[in-house]
Amino acid sequence: MARKPARADSDLAQLRRPETPRRARIEVQFDEQTLLGAVFGQYDANLVQIENRLGVYIAARGDRVQIEGPDDAVARARDVLKGMYQRLEQGHELDSGAVESLIAMSSEPTLEGIITGSHDAPPIMIRTRKKTIVPRSGVQIDYMKALNSKDVIFALGPAGTGKTYLAVAQAVQQLMTGSVQRLILSRPAVEAGERLGFLPGDMKEKVDPYLRPIYDALYDCMPPEQVERRMASGEIEIAPIAFMRGRTLADAFVILDEAQNTTQAQMKMFLTRFGQNSRMVICGDPRQVDIPGGDAQSGLADAVRRLEGVDGIGVVRFSTADVVRHPIVGRIVEAYEGPNA
């Protein structure tokens, strides 16, 4: 049998050469030209952000935008621009963080549905007195759906993914609409790797430093005077987890933050406070345990292991890809928790 002739060096080089991505050029036209200044950003900062992140070239002319680059990147850039425009149409804020989130979500097949709603389903959003909040990552979509449908929700993941913020926003919305009568916010009083010693003042002044992140989320969703008035009336209660023992929390939206720092006994005690017409959200990062004994003693990991899959209980897991603070926060978390950690 005759041997097949050997391939020429040029043929082998052609086989090894990576396939060049197909390039495309599309044009997007917008109806309301007055919104385009905000879409583009000061000195076209938003367009530059999209160009740098997706590797495309964007040219704006009047009410039209041309996008050129690799085929898939051009399609993503188009979806991001449409998403930015629709956010402004609906009266939402558009800052660099929102743009970054839309870029991150542009690989999700549901981006169009997130912004406009799909079929007969309304857009996914939380309305509070001060702002309307829409999801900024794919997992936030699942989380916001769970906040609407599950009785008990475990939100697990690193800092900056919106676990506590979205829970507080949902709680504020339900308090304002009368779905619940009280908002109860709690977290264990555990220092992150340091000992603060004796803290002066009454009980509120002693626990306030531990609950500052929850206050920040509250003031971002409600006018300060309403927060103070509702706290004075007892509609909003902020307390360490130790104060939950012996209570039944009915007609309430209850949030436990930094839940990885609860003991197993504390977590069982907290979960069994659940009352009629209530909702509980337990937020925590299983990789940031500060209690003695570490992971083995954490009530969060133990509760998720026991309860995941139980009817009425939802578990939502965030990753570094879902970090919605400044993009560098995601890179920092990845450096600490990635394969080389």
Short mmCIF file of all heavy atoms in Angstrom, two decimals, residues 206-229:
data_model
loop_
_atom_site.label_atom_id
_atom_site.label_comp_id
_atom_site.label_asym_id
_atom_site.label_seq_id
_atom_site.Cartn_x
_atom_site.Cartn_y
_atom_site.Cartn_z
N LYS A 206 -23.70 50.12 71.98
CA LYS A 206 -22.71 49.04 72.00
C LYS A 206 -22.79 48.18 70.73
O LYS A 206 -21.76 47.73 70.22
CB LYS A 206 -22.94 48.15 73.23
CG LYS A 206 -22.56 48.79 74.56
CD LYS A 206 -22.86 47.82 75.70
CE LYS A 206 -22.70 48.49 77.06
NZ LYS A 206 -21.30 48.83 77.35
N VAL A 207 -24.01 47.92 70.23
CA VAL A 207 -24.14 47.01 69.09
C VAL A 207 -24.11 47.73 67.74
O VAL A 207 -23.89 47.09 66.71
CB VAL A 207 -25.44 46.17 69.19
CG1 VAL A 207 -25.46 45.35 70.45
CG2 VAL A 207 -26.68 47.04 69.08
N ASP A 208 -24.29 49.04 67.73
CA ASP A 208 -24.31 49.79 66.47
C ASP A 208 -23.08 49.55 65.60
O ASP A 208 -23.21 49.41 64.37
CB ASP A 208 -24.47 51.29 66.74
CG ASP A 208 -25.94 51.68 66.84
OD1 ASP A 208 -26.79 50.78 66.71
OD2 ASP A 208 -26.24 52.87 67.04
N PRO A 209 -21.85 49.52 66.16
CA PRO A 209 -20.70 49.30 65.29
C PRO A 209 -20.77 47.99 64.50
O PRO A 209 -20.30 47.92 63.36
CB PRO A 209 -19.51 49.28 66.27
CG PRO A 209 -19.98 50.07 67.44
CD PRO A 209 -21.44 49.78 67.55
N TYR A 210 -21.37 46.96 65.09
CA TYR A 210 -21.47 45.68 64.40
C TYR A 210 -22.55 45.70 63.31
O TYR A 210 -22.54 44.88 62.39
CB TYR A 210 -21.81 44.57 65.40
CG TYR A 210 -20.80 44.41 66.51
CD1 TYR A 210 -21.06 44.90 67.79
CD2 TYR A 210 -19.58 43.78 66.28
CE1 TYR A 210 -20.14 44.76 68.81
CE2 TYR A 210 -18.65 43.64 67.31
CZ TYR A 210 -18.94 44.13 68.56
OH TYR A 210 -18.03 43.99 69.56
N LEU A 211 -23.51 46.61 63.43
CA LEU A 211 -24.66 46.62 62.54
C LEU A 211 -24.60 47.74 61.50
O LEU A 211 -25.57 48.00 60.81
CB LEU A 211 -25.95 46.75 63.37
CG LEU A 211 -26.16 45.62 64.39
CD1 LEU A 211 -27.29 45.96 65.35
CD2 LEU A 211 -26.45 44.31 63.69
N ARG A 212 -23.45 48.40 61.41
CA ARG A 212 -23.33 49.54 60.51
C ARG A 212 -23.69 49.22 59.07
O ARG A 212 -24.37 50.01 58.41
CB ARG A 212 -21.90 50.08 60.59
CG ARG A 212 -21.71 51.48 60.02
CD ARG A 212 -22.35 52.51 60.92
NE ARG A 212 -23.56 53.06 60.35
CZ ARG A 212 -24.42 53.81 61.01
NH1 ARG A 212 -24.21 54.08 62.28
NH2 ARG A 212 -25.49 54.30 60.44
N PRO A 213 -23.25 48.07 58.49
CA PRO A 213 -23.61 47.78 57.10
C PRO A 213 -25.12 47.71 56.88
O PRO A 213 -25.62 48.09 55.81
CB PRO A 213 -22.95 46.42 56.84
CG PRO A 213 -21.83 46.36 57.82
CD PRO A 213 -22.34 47.07 59.04
N ILE A 214 -25.86 47.22 57.89
CA ILE A 214 -27.32 47.15 57.76
C ILE A 214 -27.91 48.56 57.77
O ILE A 214 -28.81 48.87 57.00
CB ILE A 214 -27.92 46.27 58.87
CG1 ILE A 214 -27.44 44.82 58.69
CG2 ILE A 214 -29.43 46.33 58.85
CD1 ILE A 214 -27.94 43.87 59.75
N TYR A 215 -27.41 49.43 58.66
CA TYR A 215 -27.86 50.81 58.67
C TYR A 215 -27.62 51.47 57.31
O TYR A 215 -28.48 52.20 56.79
CB TYR A 215 -27.12 51.61 59.75
CG TYR A 215 -27.64 51.46 61.15
CD1 TYR A 215 -26.92 50.75 62.09
CD2 TYR A 215 -28.86 52.03 61.53
CE1 TYR A 215 -27.39 50.61 63.40
CE2 TYR A 215 -29.32 51.90 62.83
CZ TYR A 215 -28.59 51.19 63.76
OH TYR A 215 -29.06 51.06 65.05
N ASP A 216 -26.45 51.24 56.75
CA ASP A 216 -26.12 51.86 55.45
C ASP A 216 -27.14 51.46 54.39
O ASP A 216 -27.58 52.30 53.59
CB ASP A 216 -24.71 51.44 55.02
CG ASP A 216 -23.62 52.02 55.90
OD1 ASP A 216 -23.91 53.01 56.62
OD2 ASP A 216 -22.50 51.50 55.88
N ALA A 217 -27.49 50.18 54.35
CA ALA A 217 -28.48 49.72 53.37
C ALA A 217 -29.85 50.33 53.64
O ALA A 217 -30.57 50.73 52.71
CB ALA A 217 -28.57 48.19 53.39
N LEU A 218 -30.23 50.44 54.91
CA LEU A 218 -31.52 51.04 55.27
C LEU A 218 -31.61 52.49 54.78
O LEU A 218 -32.59 52.90 54.16
CB LEU A 218 -31.72 51.01 56.78
CG LEU A 218 -32.48 49.84 57.39
CD1 LEU A 218 -32.51 49.99 58.90
CD2 LEU A 218 -33.89 49.72 56.83
N TYR A 219 -30.58 53.28 55.09
CA TYR A 219 -30.60 54.69 54.71
C TYR A 219 -30.53 54.87 53.20
O TYR A 219 -30.94 55.92 52.69
CB TYR A 219 -29.45 55.43 55.40
CG TYR A 219 -29.69 55.69 56.86
CD1 TYR A 219 -28.88 55.12 57.84
CD2 TYR A 219 -30.74 56.50 57.29
CE1 TYR A 219 -29.10 55.35 59.19
CE2 TYR A 219 -30.97 56.73 58.64
CZ TYR A 219 -30.16 56.16 59.58
OH TYR A 219 -30.38 56.39 60.92
N ASP A 220 -30.03 53.88 52.50
CA ASP A 220 -29.99 53.97 51.04
C ASP A 220 -31.36 53.69 50.43
O ASP A 220 -31.62 54.07 49.29
CB ASP A 220 -28.96 52.97 50.49
CG ASP A 220 -28.41 53.39 49.14
OD1 ASP A 220 -28.23 54.60 48.92
OD2 ASP A 220 -28.16 52.50 48.30
N CYS A 221 -32.23 53.02 51.18
CA CYS A 221 -33.55 52.64 50.66
C CYS A 221 -34.69 53.50 51.21
O CYS A 221 -35.79 53.49 50.65
CB CYS A 221 -33.84 51.17 50.97
SG CYS A 221 -32.75 49.99 50.15
N MET A 222 -34.47 54.19 52.33
CA MET A 222 -35.51 54.99 52.96
C MET A 222 -34.95 56.35 53.36
O MET A 222 -33.77 56.44 53.71
CB MET A 222 -36.06 54.29 54.21
CG MET A 222 -36.75 52.97 53.97
SD MET A 222 -37.32 52.24 55.54
CE MET A 222 -38.69 53.34 55.94
N PRO A 223 -35.78 57.39 53.37
CA PRO A 223 -35.33 58.68 53.88
C PRO A 223 -34.92 58.55 55.35
O PRO A 223 -35.55 57.81 56.12
CB PRO A 223 -36.56 59.58 53.73
CG PRO A 223 -37.40 58.91 52.69
CD PRO A 223 -37.15 57.44 52.85
N PRO A 224 -33.86 59.26 55.78
CA PRO A 224 -33.36 59.12 57.16
C PRO A 224 -34.42 59.36 58.22
O PRO A 224 -34.48 58.64 59.22
CB PRO A 224 -32.26 60.17 57.23
CG PRO A 224 -31.81 60.36 55.83
CD PRO A 224 -33.03 60.16 54.98
N GLU A 225 -35.31 60.35 57.98
CA GLU A 225 -36.32 60.65 59.00
C GLU A 225 -37.30 59.49 59.17
O GLU A 225 -37.78 59.23 60.27
CB GLU A 225 -37.06 61.94 58.67
CG GLU A 225 -37.86 61.94 57.38
CD GLU A 225 -37.03 62.27 56.15
OE1 GLU A 225 -35.78 62.37 56.28
OE2 GLU A 225 -37.61 62.42 55.06
N GLN A 226 -37.59 58.77 58.06
CA GLN A 226 -38.48 57.61 58.17
C GLN A 226 -37.81 56.46 58.91
O GLN A 226 -38.44 55.74 59.68
CB GLN A 226 -38.91 57.15 56.77
CG GLN A 226 -40.01 57.99 56.17
CD GLN A 226 -40.89 57.16 55.25
OE1 GLN A 226 -40.94 55.93 55.34
NE2 GLN A 226 -41.61 57.85 54.38
N VAL A 227 -36.51 56.27 58.65
CA VAL A 227 -35.79 55.22 59.36
C VAL A 227 -35.84 55.49 60.86
O VAL A 227 -36.17 54.59 61.66
CB VAL A 227 -34.33 55.13 58.88
CG1 VAL A 227 -33.55 54.11 59.72
CG2 VAL A 227 -34.27 54.74 57.40
N GLU A 228 -35.54 56.71 61.25
CA GLU A 228 -35.53 57.06 62.68
C GLU A 228 -36.93 56.92 63.29
O GLU A 228 -37.08 56.40 64.40
CB GLU A 228 -35.02 58.50 62.86
CG GLU A 228 -33.61 58.72 62.33
CD GLU A 228 -32.58 57.87 63.02
OE1 GLU A 228 -32.79 57.50 64.20
OE2 GLU A 228 -31.55 57.54 62.40
N ARG A 229 -37.95 57.37 62.56
CA ARG A 229 -39.31 57.29 63.10
C ARG A 229 -39.76 55.84 63.26
O ARG A 229 -40.35 55.48 64.29
CB ARG A 229 -40.27 58.04 62.16
CG ARG A 229 -41.73 57.99 62.61
CD ARG A 229 -42.60 58.89 61.76
NE ARG A 229 -42.55 58.56 60.34
CZ ARG A 229 -43.25 57.57 59.79
NH1 ARG A 229 -44.05 56.81 60.55
NH2 ARG A 229 -43.18 57.34 58.51
#
